[in-house]
Amino acid sequence: RAFERRPHEESGVCGEGAMAAAPDGDNQEQYLKEATRKVKEQGFFMKRCMDSSDLKGALNHASDMLRELRTGVLTPRNYYELYMKTLDELHHLQDFFSQLCKEGTKTASELYEQVQACGDVLPRLYLLITVGAVYVETRQAPAKDILNDLVEMAKGVQHPMRGLFLRNYLAHACRDKLPDTGSKYEGSGGDVSHAVDFVLRNFSETNRLWVRMQNQGPSKERKRREKERQDLRILVGTNLVRLSQLEGVDSRRYVDAVLPKLLEQVVNCKDAIAQPYLLDCIIQVFPDEFHLSTLDSFLETCTQLKEKVNVRVILEAMMKRLAAGARDASAEGGGDAASAAARTPPRAFAAFNDCVAKLLEEKKGSIDLAELLRLQAALLEFALECYPGRLDYVNHCFGTCAAVLDSAKPRPSPDASPASLDEAEAEQLERLLDLPLAPAVGLAGVLELSLFGQLVEYLPWKRRRDVSLGVVRAVLGANEPLEAVDAVDKLFAMIGPLLRDAPEAPVPAEPTTKPTAAADDETATEQLLVAKLSHLFRHDDTDTLFRILGVARRHFGQGGLTRIRYTLVPLVFRALALARQVKAIETKLASQQQQQEQQQQQQSADSAADDDGADGATAATEADEGNGESTSAEEAAATPAANEDEAAAAEKADQPARLEPPQYSSRKVFQFVHEIVTAMAGSFPSLSLNLFLQCAQEADKCGFKAIAYEFVSQAFIIYEDELPDSKAQLKALHLMVGCLLLSAGFDDSDYDALATKTTQYAAKLLKKPDQCRMVAQCSLLFWAGDDPATDDERRRRDGRRVLECLQRSLKIADACMTSSAPPIHLFVEILDQYLAHFEKQNPMITPKYIAGLVALINEHVENMDRLDGRTDLEAHYRNTLARIK
């Protein structure tokens, strides 16, 4: 007997009629709340009947509960909530059916027949699926037959949304009842082919229902229906997830039986929403081995999709999936690139490239330039992940992009600049160019990107700078030496936007020397990275290294004053290191030449001695002829020849490897440095003065007194002409004093002139305290060195000049005592200088000077007010007195 139908329920097949328009806002909540109440109410009565073993009553209440799912006024989200609450109640009913079968009260076949008496289609099918799951579990009938009956009976609901949820329940209820490999239902219940057939048929019907939703209802509600379809798509993808979980689906079965039917369903549905979603599900749920085995057929399907489908997204998802697998394989193999290459065969790149080429040919006018660039970027990223080191793939992608850009943005003339790209296109091209710029690519890989410069020309200047910065970071990250002139020239050509301004940019008349704005800070960061390249200039041949430095200076010199302050400084220090290297070679050559001259002189002396010995031997032989003693002529001739050969061999073995004299001498290198610093002197005086003094110290160490004097003279000229600021002058004087103290090669007259000039500069400082300190500091210039017995230091020991400097500083300090805050600490600092010279055994610094200065300081300290800093002054003075004691 049919279950009783409530009077207010609609009759007829659930597939009749179109989808009703769902009410909005509060009405949705009201409908959902009322339907949920009825589900809970009927579920309560159903469970009470089950407790009393009333099968008929339980089925009646279950049917009433399931009738709430026949509504067509709820949105997919609200319907899903109602569906889940109903499923919670159906689980109790399924357990009740299982208990009846175990107790023998009812057989599964009897229950299967009884639930089909329900008068409404939708409740009947839910009950039939619930009992069918129990029927399969009892194994009273083959699982394949029951599953086939259920999937066919589910066709009775053709309403799209209600049918989707019904088939989802079918897949959920039978998920562990399939005759899969290793399952207890395998054998008489069927095999994995029946399980695959069941899932595929349910998937096919689910997809048809989902696609039908697009065309039901008025066209003005198309956006709403598309949103609802997006909400319901997981119901379709669940079937593919279950299919991928079948143990019996191996690579062979996937190739022969699974994927062809899935791709056929994708192509035949001809829906712009379903096709990309289904293909993305296939990509995500099945393993990489399956994709690699069926890559050609999958890519062929991608070329048959609807015009509105964005194929790039699908291809990019597949490439990212395979690239992630290659990356994991490389990680498992200890980072070995061969592991990633073995994971992804070479034909995969060719297959993707052929698919992309076919799409470009077929959809030449319908795909915009930004999408084409994104597609090539995805292909390039795939090549870099799966085939590390294959720069031919990178150049191939660059070549394709160059051809596409040349076709889309033709140049007016061969020498003209290409047309500019819009923001989206430029962003994609910049990302494409940044992909291969990784430290793993290395310097050689970066230089092999033949079309890199051609593609960069399509970018605006700001983006060119960003790409060039990526090149610099890649080279610095690789930390490979720049040891070829051509390589350095090519690298600097690639990063040209970092080395010079844009061609259309105006040149400022007065460049700023201190970055104050954010743009200046950005420029400073960029140029500091570029400057680090100078430390990668390495080569065993000093001549080649000098040419590399010359190429770098030529490129750095194009950057203008805003850049050379950062880039030329490390180049100067790199050249100074080269000068030391060349000087060492020259010294070694001179030593070898001296040794050779000494050896030649020794050989000449030995030859003369041998000649004298030979004459003596001849005379002795003639004297002994009368006694009958003679020497064989052959022995007399052979013995000297043998001795000469042995001596020559020994001399050759002892002789060190001969060095070739460098083409560019150390003097030439210092001239190179002089030109660089001189070019910077007018715009950056403080920096140039420091560099001149550094160069002077290096020249002095190399023994070039004249060159060192020239560098110091240039520093003094800058001090006089370019340093009006008192703080800069004070800092420069400290550097000058330090440079002169470290220099040991100047002649007496030159050193005396430089030291006197420095003292004069100190006496002319703007502030009296600065004058006092620096004049006292300059006293060290006239008593340099710790060993008075050394000849080259004795000429710098002039006690009289030292005493003059210290007394001059005392006068300046005394003149400062008229101020409101007397600088008594100056006298303590002068006392420290007196003690230093006294310890260095300066005869002009006698104890009476120290005692008099101590008495003067004591007098001032006693009369000193309680001012700020007195505590520090007294502590300093006590330490000095302790040193005296």
Side-chain angles (χ1 to χ4, degrees):
R1 189 175 65 87
F3 299 151
E4 296 179 0
R5 178 182 299 145
R6 292 183 297 178
H8 62 276
E9 288 291 344
E10 297 180 3
S11 61
V13 181
C14 294
E16 296 177 357
M19 293 180 62
D24 297 327
D26 297 337
N27 291 334
Q28 280 287 310
E29 295 180 3
Q30 180 180 354
Y31 280 116
L32 177 62
K33 184 177 180 181
E34 178 64 19
T36 303
R37 185 191 65 79
K38 291 180 180 179
V39 167
K40 291 181 178 181
E41 178 184 355
Q42 295 301 322
F44 171 78
F45 290 124
M46 178 189 71
K47 285 182 282 188
R48 193 167 65 175
C49 292
M50 289 191 299
D51 293 338
S52 60
S53 298
D54 182 5
L55 176 61
K56 179 180 178 182
L59 290 176
N60 283 331
H61 289 296
S63 178
D64 291 341
M65 176 184 68
L66 291 169
R67 284 192 181 96
E68 298 301 326
L69 294 177
R70 299 178 68 243
T71 180
V73 296
L74 293 178
T75 63
R77 290 182 181 274
N78 292 331
Y79 190 90
Y80 175 76
E81 185 176 345
L82 180 64
Y83 166 78
M84 292 304 298
K85 294 183 182 300
T86 307
L87 253 63
D88 292 339
E89 303 296 337
L90 285 179
H91 289 158
H92 298 288
L93 182 63
Q94 183 175 347
D95 294 339
F96 177 64
F97 289 155
S98 297
Q99 183 180 359
L100 291 178
C101 294
K102 290 178 181 179
E103 294 174 352
T105 305
K106 286 283 186 177
T107 63
S109 59
E110 292 174 348
L111 291 174
Y112 197 70
E113 292 291 335
Q114 187 171 356
V115 296
Q116 295 187 45
C118 179
D120 293 322
V121 176
L122 188 64
R124 181 198 313 158
L125 292 179
Y126 272 102
L127 293 174
L128 190 66
I129 293 171
T130 306
V131 176
V134 177
Y135 201 177
V136 174
E137 187 176 2
T138 61
R139 288 186 284 181
Q140 296 177 5
K144 60 181 180 181
D145 296 338
I146 300 173
L147 294 174
N148 180 67
D149 186 54
L150 291 177
V151 76
E152 288 295 328
M153 293 291 289
K155 292 181 179 179
V157 177
Q158 292 299 313
H159 185 278
M161 189 166 66
R162 295 198 287 264
L164 279 173
F165 281 95
L166 175 66
R167 289 197 171 273
N168 179 260
Y169 179 64
L170 173 62
H172 173 75
C174 301
R175 66 186 185 282
D176 55 349
K177 310 296 189 301
L178 303 179
D180 190 12
T181 300
S183 170
K184 64 181 180 180
Y185 308 108
E186 186 184 17
S188 60
D191 55 20
V192 66
S193 62
H194 297 94
V196 170
D197 180 69
F198 168 78
V199 177
L200 285 177
R201 289 167 64 187
N202 192 52
F203 162 73
S204 177
E205 293 298 329
T206 302
N207 186 51
R208 288 194 183 97
L209 292 171
W210 187 47
V211 172
R212 280 178 53 195
M213 290 182 64
Q214 185 69 24
N215 301 319
Q216 292 197 352
S219 58
K220 65 180 180 180
E221 297 180 354
R222 174 178 293 272
K223 294 294 183 182
R224 180 181 65 84
R225 290 197 300 270
E226 290 179 354
K227 184 178 181 303
E228 291 178 351
R229 288 190 62 195
Q230 295 292 346
D231 294 338
L232 295 173
R233 61 182 181 176
I234 190 174
L235 302 178
V236 185
T238 303
N239 292 277
L240 297 180
V241 174
R242 185 67 191 97
L243 187 61
S244 67
Q245 294 172 347
L246 294 177
E247 295 291 337
V249 178
D250 53 10
S251 179
R252 181 186 58 80
R253 187 177 298 277
Y254 178 78
V255 173
D256 297 337
V258 176
L259 186 65
K261 294 182 179 180
L262 293 179
L263 295 182
E264 180 183 2
Q265 181 67 28
V266 169
V267 175
N268 291 338
C269 73
K270 298 180 180 180
D271 183 74
I273 297 178
Q275 287 181 338
Y277 174 71
L278 296 179
L279 289 176
D280 184 67
C281 287
I282 292 173
I283 293 171
Q284 302 302 330
V285 301
F286 291 104
D288 295 349
E289 292 79 5
F290 292 7
H291 295 319
L292 292 173
S293 302
T294 59
L295 189 58
D296 294 334
S297 58
F298 181 89
L299 296 179
E300 179 64 25
T301 302
C302 291
T303 62
Q304 301 174 11
L305 303 180
K306 287 198 69 176
E307 190 73 21
K308 295 182 179 180
V309 176
N310 191 343
V311 184
R312 190 264 311 163
V313 177
I314 302 171
L315 296 179
E316 188 174 2
M318 176 62 84
M319 287 187 278
K320 285 184 176 180
R321 173 64 189 268
L322 297 180
R327 186 166 53 250
D328 294 341
S330 177
E332 293 175 0
D336 186 12
S339 302
R343 172 90 179 191
T344 310
R347 68 176 183 84
F349 178 83
F352 279 114
N353 183 66
D354 293 342
C355 179
V356 171
K358 187 174 181 181
L359 288 174
L360 292 179
E361 184 66 27
E362 293 179 354
K363 302 182 179 181
K364 194 170 185 179
S366 58
I367 305 180
D368 60 4
L369 183 57
E371 279 297 312
L372 293 177
L373 294 175
R374 291 188 66 178
L375 186 58
Q376 286 299 319
L379 183 60
L380 177 57
E381 189 173 8
F382 171 75
L384 292 172
E385 288 281 0
C386 298
Y387 312 100
R390 291 295 302 268
L391 295 178
D392 54 332
Y393 289 165
V394 178
N395 285 323
H396 176 79
C397 294
F398 279 3
T400 304
C401 289
V404 170
L405 288 171
D406 187 59
S407 176
K409 306 286 184 178
R411 300 171 185 258
S413 63
D415 298 333
S417 300
S420 60
L421 304 177
D422 60 30
E423 188 65 22
E425 296 166 351
E427 180 181 358
Q428 295 306 320
L429 181 58
E430 181 183 353
R431 176 176 175 271
L432 176 78
L433 293 171
D434 281 336
L435 285 174
L437 301 180
V441 176
L443 173 63
V446 170
L447 297 180
E448 288 182 17
L449 302 178
S450 54
L451 296 173
F452 187 88
Q454 180 179 342
L455 293 176
V456 168
E457 292 181 359
Y458 287 93
L459 294 175
W461 196 259
K462 176 62 174 64
R463 292 189 180 273
R464 293 189 198 183
R465 287 172 54 191
D466 295 339
V467 173
S468 300
L469 203 59
V471 175
V472 173
R473 289 196 176 101
V475 175
L476 292 175
N479 198 26
E480 297 179 11
L482 293 167
E483 52 187 7
V485 178
D486 294 340
V488 174
D489 196 14
K490 187 174 182 180
L491 175 63
F492 283 151
M494 293 178 68
I495 63 172
L498 288 176
L499 303 179
R500 61 182 185 274
D501 294 325
E504 64 276 6
V507 179
E510 293 292 336
T512 58
T513 57
K514 294 183 180 180
T516 55
D520 296 321
D521 294 337
E522 182 180 1
T523 300
T525 303
E526 293 174 353
Q527 296 308 308
L528 288 175
L529 283 176
V530 175
K532 290 182 180 181
L533 294 175
S534 299
H535 302 292
L536 298 179
F537 298 152
R538 305 167 196 162
H539 203 283
D540 295 335
D541 183 17
T542 57
D543 295 335
T544 303
L545 183 54
F546 183 77
R547 296 189 188 96
I548 291 175
L549 297 180
V551 171
R553 182 184 66 175
R554 174 167 54 86
H555 284 280
F556 288 158
Q558 301 175 6
L561 298 177
T562 57
R563 293 179 176 84
I564 61 174
R565 60 180 304 208
Y566 303 105
T567 55
L568 290 184
V569 174
L571 192 64
V572 168
F573 284 94
R574 191 67 189 89
L576 292 178
L578 175 61
R580 291 194 298 269
Q581 186 178 354
V582 176
K583 182 60 180 178
I585 296 175
E586 292 173 346
T587 304
K588 195 170 184 179
L589 284 171
S591 177
Q592 288 183 356
Q593 185 177 359
Q594 185 178 2
Q595 291 177 2
Q596 291 174 1
E597 291 176 354
Q598 293 176 355
Q599 291 175 359
Q600 290 176 359
Q601 293 176 1
Q602 184 67 30
Q603 290 175 359
S604 300
D606 293 342
S607 298
D610 292 341
D611 292 341
D612 294 341
D615 293 340
T618 303
T621 301
E622 292 175 354
D624 293 339
E625 280 182 354
N627 297 328
E629 296 179 358
S630 62
T631 303
S632 171
E634 291 81 1
E635 294 176 356
T639 300
N643 292 335
E644 291 177 1
D645 293 341
E646 293 177 359
E651 180 182 354
K652 185 175 181 181
D654 295 339
Q655 186 177 4
R658 184 175 181 85
L659 295 174
E660 293 293 333
Q663 179 181 355
Y664 300 101
S665 64
S666 55
R667 291 179 178 270
K668 181 69 174 177
V669 179
F670 278 114
Q671 180 183 353
F672 172 81
V673 174
H674 189 279
E675 293 174 357
I676 295 178
V677 182
T678 302
M680 300 173 61
S683 302
F684 310 105
S686 298
L687 179 60
S688 301
L689 184 143
N690 192 353
L691 292 176
F692 272 129
L693 296 177
Q694 292 283 350
C695 296
Q697 295 179 40
E698 293 296 336
D700 181 75
K701 292 177 183 178
C702 294
F704 299 130
K705 295 183 287 186
I707 296 177
Y709 187 84
E710 170 64 20
F711 280 126
V712 176
S713 299
Q714 291 296 325
F716 283 12
I717 292 174
I718 292 177
Y719 180 88
E720 294 176 354
D721 299 340
E722 304 290 345
L723 290 181
D725 181 57
S726 59
K727 292 184 179 179
Q729 290 177 347
L730 181 62
K731 183 179 179 181
L733 284 174
H734 280 291
L735 295 174
M736 292 176 185
V737 172
C739 177
L740 293 177
L741 289 176
L742 292 175
S743 301
F746 289 120
D747 294 333
D748 294 342
S749 58
D750 292 342
Y751 182 83
D752 185 67
L754 295 175
T756 302
K757 197 68 174 176
T758 305
T759 307
Q760 293 174 357
Y761 290 152
K764 295 179 181 179
L765 287 173
L766 179 62
K767 298 179 180 179
K768 291 294 183 179
D770 293 339
Q771 289 182 18
C772 178
R773 291 189 179 94
M774 283 310 307
V775 171
Q777 191 79 14
C778 289
S779 65
L780 298 173
L781 296 175
F782 301 102
W783 197 265
D786 297 328
D787 187 6
T790 306
D791 292 338
D792 59 347
E793 298 289 351
R794 188 180 299 122
R795 62 175 177 266
R796 302 185 184 182
R797 294 183 175 273
D798 189 343
R800 182 182 60 81
R801 299 289 298 275
V802 172
L803 185 59
E804 290 178 358
C805 290
L806 294 178
Q807 290 178 344
R808 177 69 180 273
S809 64
L810 279 173
K811 291 180 181 180
I812 299 173
D814 187 63
C816 295
M817 294 300 292
T818 58
S819 62
S820 58
I824 303 175
H825 56 277
L826 291 177
F827 291 98
V828 181
E829 294 176 11
I830 295 172
L831 176 60
D832 291 339
Q833 294 292 344
Y834 269 95
L835 290 176
H837 286 288
F838 181 79
E839 291 176 351
K840 291 182 179 181
Q841 302 176 8
N842 188 334
M844 300 300 294
I845 307 300
T846 61
K848 74 172 184 177
Y849 289 112
I850 298 177
L853 186 55
V854 169
L856 178 63
I857 295 174
N858 289 333
E859 179 183 354
H860 286 304
V861 170
E862 291 176 358
N863 298 328
M864 184 178 179
D865 296 333
R866 291 291 176 180
L867 300 175
D868 294 339
R870 175 167 179 171
T871 304
D872 296 337
L873 172 62
E874 291 178 344
H876 183 187
Y877 183 47
R878 284 196 301 270
N879 293 334
T880 303
L881 293 177
R883 180 63 180 269
I884 295 175
K885 295 178 182 179

